[in-house]
Amino acid sequence: MSKIITISNQKGGVGKTTTSINLSASLAANDKQVLLVDIDPQANASSGVGITTATLENTIYDILVNDVSAADAIIPTEMPNLHILPSHIDLVGAEIEMINVPERDLVLKKQLASVKDNFDYVLIDCPPSLGLLTLNALSAADSVLIPVQCEYYALEGLGQLLNTISIVRQHINPTLDIEGVLLTLFDSRLRLSAQVVEEVKNHFKDKVFKTVIHRNVRLAEAPSYGKPIILYDSTSSGAANYLELAAEILNKTN
């Protein structure tokens, strides 16, 4: 049975796309069939696994706006067991183009219904906003993973996201769960990082993953080579962190 996890935080720069790419690849490395859905118009998750979206015939845009079937847009990546439903810059205008679509917040859910059982995990990378695209991702998901950076104002804006999750539960997706809060960009040299970890754990209690994603140069370099960290440098601490997170999620699912 497939599990759909949306990775969301309306703040930018929290490691959301990094987590989408590398958690997907780490689950795939555990012999799970994984689909990465890039619903961010910036298409960074797509380029981060080596996909050039400008030349593609079908993308997530066509799925949402032109009623192309999801199966016609899914493509394999260099990582074994990992497929992607890629994004496109045209997605910028999708929210306006979908304005008159009936049940426009459920389009992605309906489209994924036909393909999700081909995969053990479907991970959705959201834009840094709480608009219609993110609403579609939350409506389609079984759970939401929230990356939080270990920096000043880490909890700023999270109340807004939690409120959106609550509204989605109330009106659209009553079973939506919080998969967990993931601490990212942790720097062991900074006292601030430790303080943020403590603050987030006090706030979210047992919803915080035990795994913490450390700042890592190799992890930051990998997207420019179009590779997940596990293919770019499997011996790096970034690769170890995301394999640890994958193991935590697999244990939780089992």
Side-chain angles (χ1 to χ4, degrees):
M1 186 172 162
S2 180
K3 183 171 190 178
I4 302 178
I5 303 174
T6 285
I7 298 167
S8 180
N9 188 330
Q10 75 270 27
K11 281 186 76 173
V14 299
K16 178 177 55 60
T17 299
T18 300
T19 295
S20 300
I21 293 168
N22 293 300
L23 176 56
S24 296
S26 296
L27 289 166
N30 279 274
D31 290 328
K32 299 299 177 184
Q33 292 298 322
V34 183
L35 174 64
L36 174 58
V37 178
D38 187 357
I39 201 169
D40 185 347
Q42 297 175 87
N44 289 335
S46 303
S47 62
V49 293
I51 304 299
T52 304
T53 61
T55 58
L56 296 176
E57 186 176 346
N58 293 315
T59 66
I60 189 77
Y61 172 81
D62 301 286
I63 304 306
L64 297 175
V65 176
N66 297 329
D67 203 30
V68 170
S69 74
D72 289 337
I74 293 170
I75 53 177
T77 71
E78 183 186 353
M79 180 75 198
N81 303 327
L82 177 59
H83 286 69
I84 186 165
L85 209 172
S87 185
H88 194 279
I89 189 64
D90 286 352
L91 204 56
V92 167
E95 299 198 0
I96 296 167
E97 293 180 68
M98 293 169 71
I99 203 80
N100 294 318
V101 174
E103 297 186 311
R104 61 183 180 270
D105 45 9
L106 295 174
V107 176
L108 182 64
K109 180 175 185 174
K110 290 172 183 174
Q111 287 283 23
L112 289 179
S114 62
V115 296
K116 66 178 184 178
D117 290 338
N118 298 330
F119 301 95
D120 300 301
Y121 288 90
V122 178
L123 271 63
I124 308 175
D125 183 38
C126 293
S129 69
L130 292 177
L132 183 58
L133 295 174
T134 297
L135 192 58
N136 262 270
L138 292 172
S139 301
D142 298 306
S143 62
V144 55
L145 187 156
I146 306 170
V148 175
Q149 82 284 28
C150 295
E151 295 178 353
Y152 278 120
Y153 307 123
L155 296 175
E156 189 181 63
L158 276 186
Q160 196 180 350
L161 174 59
L162 295 172
N163 187 49
T164 301
I165 291 169
S166 177
I167 291 167
V168 169
R169 276 184 186 145
Q170 202 172 339
H171 298 286
I172 306 169
N173 185 359
T175 60
L176 181 63
D177 189 20
I178 292 180
E179 184 73 24
V181 176
L182 177 67
L183 290 152
T184 63
L185 301 169
F186 180 84
D187 189 335
S188 57
R189 299 166 299 178
L190 300 179
R191 187 191 297 175
L192 173 65
S193 282
Q195 290 171 342
V196 170
V197 169
E198 193 175 333
E199 186 179 5
V200 171
K201 285 182 175 176
N202 286 340
H203 193 81
F204 289 101
K205 309 291 193 267
D206 59 348
K207 283 293 182 186
V208 182
F209 286 106
K210 292 182 177 69
T211 304
V212 174
I213 309 300
H214 290 70
R215 276 191 185 277
N216 179 239
V217 172
R218 304 298 275 171
L219 193 57
E221 289 173 352
S224 64
Y225 291 87
K227 294 177 184 290
I229 187 62
I230 200 166
L231 292 182
Y232 179 64
D233 186 352
S234 61
T235 63
S236 66
S237 63
N241 287 168
Y242 278 107
L243 285 167
E244 189 181 336
L245 176 64
E248 200 171 337
I249 285 174
L250 289 167
N251 288 337
K252 184 178 178 183
T253 303
N254 293 336

